[in-house]
Amino acid sequence: FAWGGDQPGGNNANTGMYWTAATGAWTLVATSPLSLTLSGSVMTNVGHDGLFVWGGTDGSYVTTGALYDVATNSWATTSTTGTPSVRT
C-alpha cells in the first residue's frame, strides 16, 4: 500500500495505490477525505481489507482519522469523540 507523501512544490498528496500480487497490478485508491495538506500521519494496514490513517499536521496538529475499505474503494472518517490528545 502506497499512500500520501510529498509532491514537487512542497505539497502533500492524499492519494495512493495498492498492489495485488495475484494479478500483478496496482489499483488506484479513492481520494482520502482527510486534509490534502496533511503530513506526518500514522498509517497501518487493517488485515487484507484496508488501511487506517490517523493524525498528522496541516499547519497545526489534528486528531482525525479515516479507514480505507479495499472492497468498496472508499473511505470513512472516524469519530472525533474521545480521541487521544495531540502528540508531537
Side-chain angles (χ1 to χ4, degrees):
F1 209 113
W3 185 81
D6 295 329
Q7 295 178 318
N11 297 320
N12 296 309
N14 72 340
T15 58
M17 300 182 89
Y18 66 87
W19 175 258
T20 304
T23 62
W26 286 93
T27 301
L28 186 62
V29 172
T31 301
S32 166
L34 300 176
S35 170
L36 177 60
T37 60
L38 195 63
S39 66
S41 300
V42 174
M43 294 169 259
T44 188
N45 187 26
V46 183
H48 296 286
D49 300 328
L51 179 74
F52 176 67
V53 180
W54 178 260
T57 180
D58 61 1
S60 60
Y61 290 98
V62 299
T63 56
T64 57
L67 291 165
Y68 173 73
D69 184 329
V70 172
T72 62
N73 189 29
S74 63
W75 291 87
T77 55
T78 58
S79 171
T80 57
T81 302
T83 61
S85 61
V86 171
R87 290 166 173 85
T88 60

